[in-house]
Amino acid sequence: QKEVEQDPGPLSVPEGAIVSLNCTYSNSAFQYFMWYRQYSRKGPELLMYTYSSGNKEDGRFTAQVDKSSKYISLFIRDSQPSDSATYLCAMSVNQAGTALIFGKGTTLSVSS
Amino acid sequence: GAVVSQHPSRVICKSGTSVKIECRSLDFQATTMFWYRQFPKQSLMLMATSNEGSKATYEQGVEKDKFLINHASLTLSTLTVTSAHPEDSSFYICSANHGQYGYTFGSGTRLTVV
């Protein structure tokens, strides 16, 4: 079993749809959870950063962490064609000094 | 704040030659930087952790003599792919941790070995 599991998709939705992206993990020591967006042949761009369990909202994006279930989610409301990218979940045990462990990434396509 | 600059963005080299990739933290000091490798439609796989002033820590299966990492200052880490072969062709990405902004990534380097 990999440390972080993420369905690679692809996921295709119409403009305006609500998108749900998910990851599961096996290491209960993870405390910091992140979602990155990556456009083709570019470095990942941080979208959301969450510590421990709970919800965090930023504009059209909402991140949820359920440590009891080892499950994290990213919701995108009112999706736009510009949201078309690969979304990677990532997590770490410590805030600094240790590397992030990534999921495989989910490719999202939003059609107009 | 927390910008990481990575160069070159793209490089093509002949088999058997060496290639150096630079990763710079522009507006903060990074005692630790990370090097990842990404194959098409695959996730980022950690290659090594680079610590300023000390030897890098390599992940299992990564040849330290082939992927030389130097972190000589608090703002610069380099990855040198030595005696490159076509199977080394990949997307290499560096990352640095900034306490306030979390982990910031460079824009990546597309290496093609012909």
Side-chain angles (χ1 to χ4, degrees):
Chain A
Q1 181 187 11
K2 292 184 178 180
E3 274 198 291
V4 180
E5 298 276 5
Q6 183 177 8
D7 186 345
L11 181 62
S12 297
V13 301
E15 184 175 358
I18 296 175
V19 176
S20 173
L21 305 168
N22 312 292
C23 288
T24 59
Y25 61 94
S26 58
N27 187 351
S28 58
F30 286 138
Q31 296 190 81
Y32 297 88
F33 304 92
M34 285 138 276
W35 285 94
Y36 285 85
R37 176 172 61 194
Q38 185 179 27
Y39 293 109
S40 181
R41 304 191 179 197
K42 299 290 184 183
E45 169 195 10
L46 180 65
L47 282 177
M48 302 291 282
Y49 182 91
T50 309
Y51 169 70
S52 194
S53 287
N55 295 354
K56 187 173 184 179
E57 186 174 324
D58 184 1
R60 297 185 294 112
F61 299 91
T62 299
Q64 291 184 348
V65 175
D66 182 349
K67 289 191 67 179
S68 62
S69 301
K70 298 189 181 69
Y71 186 88
I72 70 171
S73 301
L74 176 71
F75 296 96
I76 306 174
R77 293 183 297 280
D78 188 24
S79 56
Q80 303 294 311
S82 57
D83 294 329
S84 299
T86 296
Y87 290 81
L88 298 141
C89 64
M91 40 200 85
S92 67
V93 173
N94 300 313
Q95 188 177 20
T98 54
L100 294 177
I101 305 300
F102 282 87
K104 204 170 187 177
T106 300
T107 300
L108 171 67
S109 177
V110 181
S111 57
S112 57
Chain B
V3 177
V4 173
S5 175
Q6 185 174 344
H7 293 280
S9 59
R10 182 178 298 183
V11 59
I12 300 173
C13 70
K14 291 184 178 181
S15 185
T17 61
S18 296
V19 173
K20 180 184 283 188
I21 303 170
E22 291 189 348
C23 182
R24 294 180 184 273
S25 57
L26 296 186
D27 48 4
F28 67 101
Q29 294 181 332
T31 54
T32 304
M33 290 186 178
F34 307 95
W35 287 95
Y36 293 85
R37 182 173 179 175
Q38 187 178 34
F39 289 106
K41 299 187 178 182
Q42 297 291 320
S43 186
L44 280 75
M45 298 301 297
L46 179 67
M47 297 176 64
T49 300
S50 167
N51 298 295
E52 187 268 336
S54 64
K55 291 183 178 180
T57 303
Y58 291 81
E59 294 299 299
Q60 189 174 9
V62 178
E63 300 176 55
K64 62 180 181 180
D65 294 331
K66 181 169 186 62
F67 298 99
L68 299 179
I69 291 174
N70 185 285
H71 195 157
S73 77
L74 288 171
T75 59
L76 174 64
S77 177
T78 61
L79 167 68
T80 301
V81 183
T82 63
S83 186
H85 290 283
E87 57 265 31
D88 298 324
S89 299
S90 188
F91 192 56
Y92 294 86
I93 309 174
C94 68
S95 171
N97 179 266
H98 184 285
Q100 182 178 357
Y101 298 103
Y103 295 81
T104 303
F105 286 82
S107 55
T109 298
R110 173 78 52 189
L111 171 63
T112 302
V113 184
V114 297

